[in-house]
Amino acid sequence: MTQIFETIMLICFGISWPISVVKSIKSRSAKGKSLVFTIAIIIGYCAGIAGKICSGAINYVFWLYILNLAVVTLDLIISIINIRRDDLIEKNSKKAEAIEVKDTDSVTSVGKKTAKA
């Protein structure tokens, strides 16, 4: 009976991770993601796997742990890629703003020189 409840729990958790992976791929952003949370989930699945190995209960529930761990790890990898992408976009945005400010300043100084003449 305990395996049935554990299976239901793993299936319920397992349903959410592919959805998260698809959302991460489509959004191409890590905004709203927590790496600490994802790593904590990975540690939890590793503990569940270790528990199954220690108890010798290598059965279908064990493989659900492995499947969930694989999908959560994929989500973590995609999140790291998206964080790097977000950082690059932010860096480029700041560079573009700096160039705009510099161009605006040079236009203003040219206008002042013209006004004096």
Side-chain angles (χ1 to χ4, degrees), residues 19-33:
I19 294 168
S20 180
V21 167
V22 169
K23 184 178 175 185
S24 293
I25 291 170
K26 283 184 178 181
S27 72
R28 299 176 56 100
S29 175
K31 300 209 185 307
K33 290 287 223 174

Side-chain angles (χ1 to χ4, degrees), residues 2-21:
T2 59
Q3 284 186 345
I4 292 172
F5 289 126
E6 191 174 16
T7 301
I8 292 169
M9 181 221 32
L10 287 170
I11 289 171
C12 290
F13 286 162
I15 289 170
S16 64
W17 292 112
I19 294 168
S20 180
V21 167

Side-chain angles (χ1 to χ4, degrees), residues 79-92:
S79 294
I80 291 169
I81 291 168
N82 285 343
I83 286 170
R84 290 181 179 168
R85 180 180 290 123
D86 289 344
D87 289 347
L88 186 63
I89 289 169
E90 186 177 334
K91 213 179 268 184
N92 288 339

Side-chain angles (χ1 to χ4, degrees), residues 37-103:
F37 174 78
T38 306
I39 290 169
I41 297 295
I42 288 172
I43 291 169
Y45 281 129
C46 288
I49 291 166
K52 290 293 179 188
I53 291 170
C54 289
S55 69
I58 309 292
N59 54 23
Y60 67 95
V61 177
F62 172 83
W63 296 108
L64 286 174
Y65 275 107
I66 297 291
L67 178 63
N68 284 350
L69 176 63
V71 178
V72 174
T73 302
L74 176 62
D75 191 49
L76 177 68
I77 292 167
I78 293 168
S79 294
I80 291 169
I81 291 168
N82 285 343
I83 286 170
R84 290 181 179 168
R85 180 180 290 123
D86 289 344
D87 289 347
L88 186 63
I89 289 169
E90 186 177 334
K91 213 179 268 184
N92 288 339
S93 175
K94 286 181 181 178
K95 282 182 184 178
E97 287 174 11
I99 291 170
E100 280 183 26
V101 168
K102 188 176 179 182
D103 287 345

